[in-house]
Amino acid sequence: MRDQLVVEHEGRVVGDLMVKVEDAWAQREVRDRGRGVQAELGWALAPAATGRGFATEAVREVIRTCFSDLGLRRLTANAFADNEASCRLAERVGMRRESYCVGESLHRDLGWVDSVGYALLASGWMGSTSGPAA
């Protein structure tokens, strides 16, 4: 399942989010328990709309929906390593950096660049829009 969501402000679309529910990696004997238990998140916001909390609010609500409504156990997000705004957002909503990959991602203007991977477990999230458990 892959869903696209939009972020609106004053009747205009200022961003979008993606939620792609996936199966976890699992051994054959427990494969059924790993089906549809995690999701990849993605986000983009118009430059004119940044710095106003729209992305933070939207991503926190998607996280809440994924854990509370969909019952997922793990969320991931990836970004170009030099995309400081996305990295800060992932960390602000409680995700932890799990990987740094050298020359892994192809950027339309920059060619092959480094990327970072973030993740958040349901057990590390406290169930509110304020962020992760302390």
Side-chain angles (χ1 to χ4, degrees), residues 67-89:
F67 289 147
S68 295
D69 300 344
L70 299 178
L72 301 181
R73 64 169 297 280
R74 178 175 156 81
L75 303 175
T76 63
N78 298 296
F80 295 123
D82 66 351
N83 185 340
E84 294 176 14
S86 277
C87 294
R88 281 193 312 271
L89 174 58

Side-chain angles (χ1 to χ4, degrees), residues 96-119:
R96 73 187 165 285
R97 184 178 291 187
E98 289 192 334
S99 64
Y100 188 101
C101 300
V102 177
E104 184 218 31
S105 299
L106 185 57
H107 187 280
R108 70 178 164 268
D109 298 324
L110 303 175
W112 291 100
V113 297
D114 298 352
S115 65
V116 290
Y118 287 87

Side-chain angles (χ1 to χ4, degrees), residues 56-72:
T56 301
E57 180 181 354
V59 172
R60 282 186 175 149
E61 181 57 21
V62 166
I63 290 170
R64 187 205 62 76
T65 299
C66 286
F67 289 147
S68 295
D69 300 344
L70 299 178
L72 301 181

